[in-house]
Amino acid sequence: MWISPSKAMNGERAVVLVFVFRILSSLPFSLLPHALSLSLLSLFSLFVEIRADDSLFLFKTSRPGASSGIMLGAITLPTVMLSKLIQLSRAFSLQRIELDELEHMTMQFWATSACCCGVLIFLSIVMWCAANNKNPHFSCSVWDAKFSLSCVILYSVVCCISLATISHTGFNTALKLLWLLCHGFAAVKLIQHLLNTFPCCASIGEALLVTSGLVLYFGDMLACTISKVRAALSHPIQAVVTAKSSRISISMLTTLFEQVCRLLISPELVSIRYGIKRSEIGIIIQGVLLGLLIFSAVFKFVICLWEYFWGADKSESRQNKEIGRSLIFFTSLGFIMIAVAPSWMMIVLDFDVHPLLWIFLFVFSEPLKRLSLCIYWLGLIFASVLRFYNISKNSKIERILLRKYYHLLAVLMFLPALIYQPKFLDLAFGAALAVFLVLEIIRVWRIWPLGKLVHQFMSAFTDHRDSDLLIVSHFSLLLGCALPIWMSSGFNDRPLTPFAGILSLGIGDTMASMVGHKYGVLRWSKTGKKTIEGTAAGITSVLAACSVLLPLLASTGYILTQVSLSLSLSLSHTHTHTH
């Protein structure tokens, strides 16, 4: 079934395609397979979004009438990874990074693409099944199936060609493809779980973005763990192989045993070389998130056992049950965060001290600057929350505009810290994310005595974009500011890259909402609320902020610091190859 251009294209999709085209136009010839894969992914996601918007009854979204956002959700992470890959390719040509880091980012790109492609295939199958069931609200032709299948086949071929260039044998390529297939399968299962467990909490595009990010993050964590375990086991197995070769005269059996041992601990089983250097702060953040994931599963299991054995006792009052549940919650949380999560951190990275003690020593290595920054943050948070909470209860100002003040607050909090204390800000973002997750768990599960209080407080700042089941606005703001900073760690020859989230959310999004709400007339699409006037105001404000920020960064020595960091990485790389 042919799709007319007027139906296929609107303002939002045109902006996304222009953004993708800008990335593709800057690619070197060595990344041609990646460009082809991103082009195929863009076409496939555009096709699925158009079909899904015609059948939104199949997918419950958080904002009725709004676009599903499938295209934007499907290409955001692959595009970001491809941009980082372009930067690392430039650094590798200048001999400032090692080949392992470039291969690592290559696999990260293909892993994110596999997650998004897997979810798109899943959505296509759902819509095809709805059409075969002769649903009156949806139709699907043979042309639709052929187009989808062609995109998937071409994408797979391009992926195989790209992986073959960084693999030594066909067996290694097959292992890498298996690793990507696991990412795609995990992404499909996770998005099904999210859409079923938290209906109407997010659009399909938002759920796709969160799904691919989580699968990529925890997949990287799993691969890093396997790599470290493999390194720890390699020396004992090497000794065993040596001992056997000295005792057994038959060389064939010795060689066979050695090959089996190498296969069992081969780094190719995790598709890539994960021996790249990782920072202590990055490992701590990963460990905390892993601990919270383990805690959620353990707590749910313990509560089920507790209710099975003692839940039938009706003589016990409801308050006592709530207190017992709360004790189990905080006890298990403390044990996992103090004992279990740090154990994993010390496995994957050689900490000289316990990770909690490392954090304490890190903060007090510059006590005046970092403690003063903490006091500054706490003062801003207390004053703004107290002020805006009272306004939200008594004022008639729309919630969406009221929440934009918190975006401006993010600029006041994070901008000075990013300039003067970037490493401490990395750690602070991880701590804030952990606190937000714990508070949201307490709110959702109504843990005594904080559950109801947290729910009442958070409800004062929600609007139609949030649901009573799950509130994600504060996570969006925090991660939007933190992710560009985290992803720009290591080699970075663009000094404004870490500021992308703070500028776009704190200034651009705030100005776009305010100007669009008050003066917006021309809308990007018939169903959406975004206006051209608001978009123009957001772009103009970000450009103005950049023109002010660049001289400020130059005067504070921030740019010189970034240049010296890149030079130190280059010298370290040269020193490694010399020895």
Side-chain angles (χ1 to χ4, degrees):
M1 182 182 296
W2 178 255
I3 304 173
S4 62
S6 60
K7 183 180 179 181
M9 195 59 58
N10 56 30
E12 293 180 6
R13 294 168 184 163
V15 170
V16 174
L17 289 177
V18 169
F19 173 68
V20 173
F21 178 77
R22 176 65 185 86
I23 298 296
L24 296 178
S25 62
S26 60
L27 282 174
F29 183 77
S30 60
L31 298 179
L32 181 60
H34 306 74
L36 293 176
S37 67
L38 184 61
S39 302
L40 291 171
L41 196 64
S42 301
L43 290 176
F44 190 23
S45 59
L46 175 62
F47 169 78
V48 174
E49 179 178 303
I50 294 171
R51 289 298 180 221
D53 287 344
D54 292 338
S55 58
L56 282 178
F57 72 97
L58 291 174
F59 312 103
K60 297 180 180 179
T61 59
S62 59
R63 294 181 290 277
S67 173
S68 61
I70 293 176
M71 183 181 182
L72 183 59
I75 68 169
T76 296
L77 269 183
T79 304
V80 170
M81 292 299 169
L82 187 56
S83 301
K84 187 67 176 178
L85 191 57
I86 295 172
Q87 189 179 57
L88 293 183
S89 300
R90 188 164 57 246
F92 181 73
S93 63
L94 299 175
Q95 297 184 351
R96 293 189 177 182
I97 64 169
E98 297 182 4
L99 180 61
D100 287 353
E101 190 170 351
L102 186 63
E103 291 182 355
H104 172 265
M105 186 53 61
T106 299
M107 284 302 301
Q108 293 289 78
F109 166 78
W110 286 113
T112 54
S113 299
C115 292
C116 297
C117 186
V119 174
L120 292 175
I121 294 172
F122 164 71
L123 295 176
S124 300
I125 292 175
V126 170
M127 291 185 290
W128 179 261
C129 292
N132 288 340
N133 292 334
K134 298 181 179 180
N135 196 305
H137 301 281
F138 185 74
S139 61
C140 188
S141 63
V142 177
W143 184 91
D144 297 339
K146 290 182 178 179
F147 180 81
S148 301
L149 188 61
S150 301
C151 289
V152 173
I153 293 175
L154 289 176
Y155 172 86
S156 302
V157 171
V158 172
C159 180
C160 292
I161 294 174
S162 176
L163 294 180
T165 59
I166 61 174
S167 302
H168 302 289
T169 63
F171 181 67
N172 293 340
T173 303
L175 289 175
K176 290 180 171 66
L177 290 173
L178 179 62
W179 181 251
L180 298 183
L181 185 63
C182 292
H183 276 74
F185 180 76
V188 170
K189 299 301 293 184
L190 182 57
I191 197 171
Q192 284 182 285
H193 178 73
L194 290 178
L195 293 178
N196 292 330
T197 307
F198 306 106
C200 301
C201 290
S203 65
I204 307 174
E206 292 167 345
L208 174 55
L209 184 60
V210 172
T211 296
S212 55
L214 288 176
V215 172
L216 178 69
Y217 192 73
F218 286 104
D220 177 82
M221 189 182 303
L222 175 63
C224 179
T225 306
I226 296 175
S227 177
K228 292 297 180 179
V229 173
R230 178 197 62 82
L233 293 177
S234 60
H235 298 293
I237 292 181
Q238 184 82 21
V240 172
V241 172
T242 304
K244 280 188 173 288
S245 61
S246 63
R247 296 175 184 175
I248 301 177
S249 58
I250 304 177
S251 59
M252 183 179 298
L253 292 178
T254 303
T255 305
L256 179 62
F257 178 78
E258 184 178 0
Q259 292 297 326
V260 171
C261 292
R262 288 179 177 176
L263 176 60
L264 291 174
I265 58 173
S266 172
E268 298 296 343
L269 285 176
V270 293
S271 304
I272 55 178
R273 300 175 183 176
Y274 275 80
I276 63 174
K277 181 175 176 58
R278 295 171 184 263
S279 66
E280 291 86 352
I281 295 177
I283 292 297
I284 288 173
I285 295 174
Q286 278 191 325
V288 169
L289 296 181
L290 176 63
L292 290 176
L293 179 66
I294 296 174
F295 161 73
S296 301
V298 169
F299 177 72
K300 187 175 181 180
F301 177 73
V302 172
I303 287 297
C304 290
L305 290 179
W306 184 61
E307 291 180 351
Y308 178 79
F309 288 104
W310 292 283
D313 187 6
K314 297 184 179 179
S315 61
E316 188 178 8
S317 64
R318 179 180 178 85
Q319 184 176 4
N320 290 336
K321 290 182 179 180
E322 292 293 330
I323 293 175
R325 192 163 170 261
S326 177
L327 288 175
I328 295 174
F329 178 88
F330 290 107
T331 302
S332 57
L333 177 63
F335 173 75
I336 289 176
M337 301 309 295
I338 295 175
V340 178
S343 300
W344 177 85
M345 300 176 198
M346 298 180 75
I347 290 175
V348 299
L349 191 66
D350 296 328
F351 282 90
D352 296 330
V353 295
H354 191 278
L356 293 180
L357 182 58
W358 187 93
I359 295 174
F360 181 82
L361 295 175
F362 174 78
V363 173
F364 282 93
S365 61
E366 297 182 21
L368 181 61
K369 294 180 180 179
R370 290 170 181 171
L371 292 180
S372 300
L373 191 58
C374 290
I375 295 173
Y376 169 71
W377 285 341
L378 291 175
L380 279 178
I381 292 172
F382 179 78
S384 59
V385 168
L386 186 64
R387 173 63 176 167
F388 294 143
Y389 182 72
N390 293 328
I391 292 177
S392 66
K393 293 176 64 177
N394 304 319
S395 177
K396 295 183 179 179
I397 300 177
E398 287 197 20
R399 296 286 177 87
I400 187 173
L401 296 180
L402 185 63
R403 294 196 307 184
K404 298 306 174 183
Y405 290 109
Y406 283 97
H407 289 215
L408 295 176
L409 177 66
V411 177
L412 296 177
M413 290 180 61
F414 304 144
L415 194 60
L418 181 55
I419 296 175
Y420 296 105
Q421 287 289 325
K423 290 186 178 179
F424 182 63
L425 182 61
D426 287 348
L427 184 62
F429 274 135
L433 179 60
V435 171
F436 282 176
L437 287 171
V438 171
L439 289 177
E440 186 64 14
I441 292 173
I442 290 174
R443 188 194 68 84
V444 171
W445 284 343
R446 298 293 195 271
I447 302 299
W448 181 90
L450 300 176
K452 292 183 179 179
L453 295 177
V454 174
H455 178 71
Q456 291 174 0
F457 177 79
M458 295 299 298
S459 298
F461 301 100
T462 59
D463 60 5
H464 65 283
R465 301 184 179 210
D466 291 304
S467 68
D468 183 68
L469 185 60
L470 198 65
I471 299 176
V472 297
S473 297
H474 50 304
F475 290 103
S476 302
L477 177 59
L478 179 69
L479 291 176
C481 295
L483 286 177
I485 299 174
W486 288 340
M487 296 189 66
S488 61
S489 60
F491 177 83
N492 179 34
D493 56 357
R494 297 292 185 267
L496 285 180
T497 301
F499 298 86
I502 298 175
L503 295 178
S504 59
L505 286 176
I507 295 177
D509 185 59
T510 302
M511 292 301 298
S513 295
M514 291 183 174
V515 173
H517 178 77
K518 190 171 184 179
Y519 303 105
V521 176
L522 304 175
R523 302 190 182 277
W524 281 107
S525 62
K526 296 179 180 179
T527 58
K529 294 184 178 181
K530 294 181 176 63
T531 63
I532 297 178
E533 294 85 353
T535 303
I539 295 174
T540 305
S541 61
V542 171
L543 292 177
C546 291
S547 64
V548 175
L549 185 60
L550 273 176
L552 178 63
L553 295 178
S555 63
T556 57
Y558 178 86
I559 297 179
L560 293 177
T561 303
Q562 295 296 314
V563 173
S564 63
L565 178 61
S566 298
L567 289 176
S568 65
L569 290 173
S570 177
L571 291 175
S572 176
H573 171 68
T574 305
H575 179 77
T576 302
H577 278 273
T578 303
H579 289 74

